[in-house]
Structures are given as C-alpha cells and as structure tokens.
Amino acid sequence: MRPLVFAWPGNEPLAAALAARTGGEVAPLSLRRFPDGETYVRLMTSPSGREVMFACTLDQPDDKITSLLFAADAARELGARRVGLVAPYLAYMRQDARFEPGEAITSRTFARMISQAFDWLVTMDPHLHRYRALDEIYSIPASIAASATAIAGWLRSHVERPLIIGPDAESAQWAAAIAQGTGAPFVVLQKQRRGDRDVAVSVPDIAAWPQHTPVLVDDIISTARTMVAAVRRLHELAMPAPVCIGVHALFGGDALEALRASGPRIVATCNTIRHETNAIDVAGEIAAAAAGAVQSLATFTAARN
C-alpha cells in the first residue's frame, strides 16, 4: 500500500514532495481547538497497514507538539505499520547542557518524547553543538538531509566570485562543503557571544579576495546578531555588501529588520520554515532523505521476517 503523508498547516509543499518521492498519498488532517483550549485531532484517511509520515517543521514547537504527539499516537493505535516524522527544522537543540543549577536539558527531554512517539525522524542540518550526532539523544533512526548542495546551486546562479564565510569554528565543515560546491574560497569568523543579542566577531585576513562577494552562511538565523556584527565588520573592511544565507529562518523579534538595516546585498534562506526570505528550495533533499529512511526500514523489517 502507498505511504500516507499528513501535512501540518504550512507544510503542504513539503508533503507533496514527500508523496512524489515515495509514491505516497497526501492525506487530509483535521486540527482545531475546543473552546477550553484543548486540541482536537482527526486523521481523515485510515492509516491501517500503511507507512505513515507527518510533515511538520518545528519552529514555534510549543504550538505544535501536543497535536503532533496526539496524531502520531492515533496513527499507531489505528494500525499504522510505522510512523515517521519529517521535520525540516528540529526544535529544542539549543539547551544541550545544564549551565545553571536546576535547568532542564530540554534537548534530551524533547528527543525522548519524539523517540517514544515515532519510529523514525528526518530533519535538515540540525543545530549540533555539543552533540556529535542525533543518535546521542534520539533512540530512533534519524536521517539528516544536507542543505549545502542546494545552497551551492543557488549561489552559482546568483553570485559571481563568492567568498564563503562561516560564522564560527563549528561551521567550518559546512562552509567548506558549500565552498566546494561553488568552487569558491572560504574563511571562518571568530565569534564571541556576550549575550543573546550581544555578539562580537573578528574577520580573518581576506585581502587575498578583493574582487569576491562575501557570502555569510549560518544554519540558523534567530536574533541575527552574529550576521549583523559580521556585515558591519565587512563594511569597515571596505568589502562589497555581503549576501547573507541561512538554512532555518527563525527571525525572532526585530531580527530581519536589524539584519536588513546593516546593509547586506541579499538575505536568502532555505524553505525549511516558511518565510518571506525563502529563496532556496530544499524540499527535494528532504524528500530524498525521507524516501531513503522508509526504504531502509522496510528492507530491515523484511530481512528480519
């Protein structure tokens, strides 16, 4: 039987890509609130005996997680063969240690919740900081789709002679992959974060590339203060106005306004989170990772049987 793909509101294009790649069927989902604030969930197509996947990117996760867990449990109770989650943006990766006494390490708690509700997970470029891989905290198969190829393709079409600039040492491998895809040089900033909205950056010597367009790349644009500081520093160095690229367009508060006011040439993001800056389509990469996850689990199950 064909896989079923249920889409959370706003995730319909991703659901269509998932269905096309897996030979699946996009199925309707009914979500609403009762007058007392409780959540109503109904799967409008029976999942019995079928592979089920939910397309739900997890920005603003507290508004989604209750209904998502209810839907996953309903699919399992109604006889789904397996239940997977395709979340282009994976929330709750920030708090990966206990910095003050009594703090919840929410990345671990959230991972346990998702691992109990789903059989597999696909996401794109999660914010791995102190974790080397998702399987350190997720107990289900977790596949990561990479954005570097799509970003490199976009750059080849829109930016001549790019100079890829990563925001910090952790971004070096990612920036290198984008640079390799464009045939461009790359450098990495040195960042000092003094608070959520207070960031200082130093730019390494870039005098060797005076005719190149700086391209600042980061996995998440949240407050945008790192990019704002970098754009201003590049301006001080008399470099051309940079292109700013982010994978996940969170843009909290006045982040987008602050970034645009700093003077970049272009602000472009991937469509993992719906936003006005979306210019780089990564649905194909995510759908391919989901198709691979479904096939791998089906092959594993068949071998066991």
Side-chain angles (χ1 to χ4, degrees):
M1 299 178 71
R2 298 168 65 195
L4 280 182
V5 184
F6 292 97
W8 250 245
N11 291 261
E12 292 84 1
L14 173 61
L18 290 169
R21 189 65 186 242
T22 62
E25 170 189 353
V26 178
L29 178 71
S30 179
L31 300 172
R32 60 183 174 86
R33 297 277 188 184
F34 289 108
D36 62 2
E38 292 186 358
T39 298
Y40 173 89
V41 176
R42 182 183 177 192
L43 310 182
M44 304 298 288
T45 300
S46 173
S48 180
R50 302 178 75 168
E51 298 282 351
V52 170
M53 62 187 81
F54 291 97
C56 182
T57 198
L58 287 173
D59 61 311
Q60 301 298 316
D62 293 3
D63 295 337
K64 301 174 182 177
I65 189 61
T66 302
S67 57
L68 184 61
L69 295 178
F70 286 165
D73 189 64
R76 198 179 300 282
E77 184 185 6
L78 292 169
R81 184 180 301 170
R82 275 179 294 266
V83 182
L85 172 61
V86 182
Y89 172 68
L90 183 61
Y92 283 108
M93 293 298 294
R94 176 184 292 108
Q95 187 82 26
D96 53 10
R98 184 170 287 114
F99 304 101
E100 299 289 343
E103 287 183 343
I105 305 179
T106 49
S107 58
R108 293 187 178 276
T109 305
F110 191 76
R112 283 194 294 270
M113 292 167 57
I114 296 298
S115 296
Q116 290 167 4
F118 294 93
D119 296 302
W120 54 271
L121 166 69
V122 168
T123 189
M124 174 163 273
D125 292 336
H127 188 65
L128 297 173
H129 180 35
R130 291 175 180 83
Y131 302 126
R132 292 168 296 176
L134 285 176
D135 63 11
E136 290 190 31
I137 52 174
Y138 283 84
S139 59
I140 55 175
S143 301
I144 296 176
S147 64
T149 298
I151 292 173
W154 185 88
L155 285 172
R156 289 194 300 270
S157 299
H158 293 82
V159 180
E160 293 185 9
R161 297 185 301 278
L163 168 64
I164 310 301
I165 302 178
D168 50 38
E170 295 166 17
S171 72
Q173 185 174 0
W174 185 57
I178 296 171
Q180 183 177 12
T182 58
F186 80 96
V187 297
V188 176
L189 304 179
Q190 296 178 7
K191 178 172 69 174
Q192 180 182 6
R193 183 177 291 278
R194 297 184 288 248
D196 288 344
R197 295 177 178 271
D198 185 7
V199 178
V201 298
S202 60
V203 179
D205 185 12
I206 54 177
W209 303 286
Q211 303 303 317
H212 285 63
T213 298
V215 177
L216 295 164
V217 295
D218 208 349
D219 60 342
I220 296 173
I221 306 180
S222 181
T223 65
R225 267 39 188 191
T226 297
M227 279 199 173
V228 167
V231 171
R232 290 174 176 167
R233 182 63 182 135
L234 290 169
H235 179 71
E236 293 170 358
L237 295 173
M239 290 293 290
V243 172
C244 294
I245 294 179
V247 179
H248 306 298
L250 292 177
F251 286 112
D254 68 343
L256 181 58
E257 292 78 8
L259 180 55
R260 284 177 169 163
S262 69
R265 176 180 143 198
I266 300 173
V267 178
T269 60
C270 300
N271 57 344
T272 60
I273 298 169
R274 189 165 60 176
H275 193 265
E276 64 182 270
T277 59
N278 290 164
I280 304 168
D281 185 9
V282 293
E285 284 78 5
I286 296 167
V294 170
Q295 182 59 46
S296 294
L297 285 169
T299 301
F300 176 73
T301 301
R304 287 182 61 186
N305 294 336

